[in-house]
Amino acid sequence: MNELIPINAATIGGEEVNAVNARNLHAFLENKDAFAHWIKDCISQFGFVENQDFSTFWENSQKGRPRKEYVVTISMAKELCMVERNAKGKEARLYFIECERKLKEAQSPALPNFTDPAAAAIAWAKQYRKAQALESKVKEDAPKVDYYDRLQDAPGEVTITRLAKLLGIQRKRLLDWLRQNRFIYGTSNTPYQQRIEQGFLVLRNPDGARHSDGTPVFSPYAHVTSKGGSAIYSGLRSDGLIQRNPQMELSVAS
């Protein structure tokens, strides 16, 4: 398997883990935003935690100026790939998954001495705990992966009603949250201009029909962009309105 993005051991939160340099990942994903803006925006939007999901250090650039570098866990790297919503992101995510698989194969322990019942029982218990932990992690990540996989195939915008259905949350509850957090206002659910400028919401006319004076036949209504959906999902999860389970979690903005 070709090395798309270098994976190295790093210490994050006092624990040695496999990690990648976020600047290398950003370059591979071919994201057009400046690296510093991209990584800070991702950390803010998706709630990544320093010394848990990533660590930072300063290093001189080729021009000799110090610049801040980010080392991220493979788990965070996969999530960054998923939110990119393009072929490069999907390629990188599958690459990380394959690297993890090969690493687990390489680290598989030798079979215990089953002639010693005590040693066999201890070995079995260790393997069982590892299997349980892995299964728990897979279940935890499954809704997230499912969400981003759906996101890859979904259209660029959705209505608030559609978003509520994808999230598994009542439309009224979602609307209340959007108003409280200044995404929309009024009974017509009009987006705040700031949210439009942020790229979270857009105004769309139902069918494009207009009166002779150019005004729309129907009042325009808000559509949620993929970027807005990600921000809304993150906010809802932070507020505890979306639980970690396959029924109610991740299927945000499309």
Side-chain angles (χ1 to χ4, degrees):
M1 180 176 61
N2 294 329
E3 184 182 57
L4 300 184
I5 304 162
I7 298 176
N8 299 296
T11 301
I12 298 179
E15 181 180 355
E16 187 172 285
V17 297
N18 290 311
V20 299
N21 184 291
R23 194 178 296 274
N24 292 339
L25 177 59
H26 174 261
F28 180 83
L29 294 174
E30 299 179 354
N31 187 286
K32 302 303 181 185
D33 294 334
F35 170 73
H37 173 77
W38 172 77
I39 190 65
K40 290 176 183 177
D41 190 47
C42 287
I43 291 170
S44 174
Q45 280 196 43
F46 302 103
F48 294 117
V49 179
E50 188 166 6
N51 295 324
Q52 177 180 310
D53 300 304
F54 67 93
S55 64
T56 60
F57 64 95
W58 289 90
E59 184 175 78
N60 288 337
S61 66
Q62 291 180 348
K63 296 181 180 180
R65 299 173 183 172
R67 67 184 184 186
K68 193 173 186 179
E69 298 291 347
Y70 294 74
V71 176
V72 306
T73 63
I74 300 300
S75 179
M76 177 174 170
K78 288 191 292 185
E79 192 160 347
L80 292 174
C81 292
M82 289 190 286
V83 299
E84 204 63 28
R85 295 189 69 234
N86 61 21
K88 298 291 286 186
K90 189 169 186 179
E91 182 183 3
R93 180 167 68 87
L94 294 176
Y95 164 75
F96 289 132
I97 291 172
E98 180 64 11
C99 286
E100 286 183 316
R101 185 187 68 79
K102 288 184 177 294
L103 180 62
K104 288 172 185 174
E105 287 181 353
Q107 292 178 338
S108 295
L111 290 174
N113 178 12
F114 286 103
T115 60
D116 181 344
I122 292 171
W124 181 88
K126 288 181 179 179
Q127 289 300 101
Y128 178 77
R129 284 195 294 270
K130 287 182 180 179
Q132 290 292 95
L134 179 59
E135 182 179 355
S136 176
K137 180 63 176 173
V138 169
K139 287 181 178 178
E140 179 181 315
D141 288 346
K144 185 179 294 185
V145 173
D146 177 61
Y147 158 54
Y148 285 110
D149 281 344
R150 289 192 214 175
L151 194 59
Q152 293 285 341
D153 301 325
E157 303 167 6
V158 291
T159 63
I160 293 175
T161 299
R162 172 64 175 159
L163 176 61
K165 183 176 181 181
L166 289 172
L167 284 169
I169 187 172
Q170 290 183 350
R171 180 176 181 273
K172 182 181 183 303
R173 196 175 189 189
L174 176 58
L175 287 171
D176 289 342
W177 186 89
L178 291 173
R179 293 191 184 102
Q180 291 169 6
N181 289 273
R182 298 182 64 81
F183 278 81
I184 59 174
Y185 63 91
T187 56
S188 60
N189 304 325
T190 305
Y192 280 95
Q193 183 61 33
Q194 179 187 4
R195 298 304 190 182
I196 294 177
E197 292 173 355
Q198 288 175 319
F200 292 166
L201 300 171
V202 292
L203 272 176
R204 292 286 180 249
N205 199 39
D207 59 4
R210 293 182 175 275
H211 295 292
S212 58
D213 62 358
T215 58
V217 174
F218 302 102
S219 298
Y221 55 88
H223 271 216
V224 184
T225 65
S226 57
K227 182 179 180 181
S230 297
I232 292 168
Y233 163 72
S234 181
L236 288 169
R237 202 174 84 177
S238 295
D239 289 348
L241 297 178
I242 297 178
Q243 301 300 318
R244 283 183 174 274
N245 67 65
Q247 298 297 323
M248 293 188 63
E249 212 176 32
L250 292 90
S251 281
V252 175
S254 343

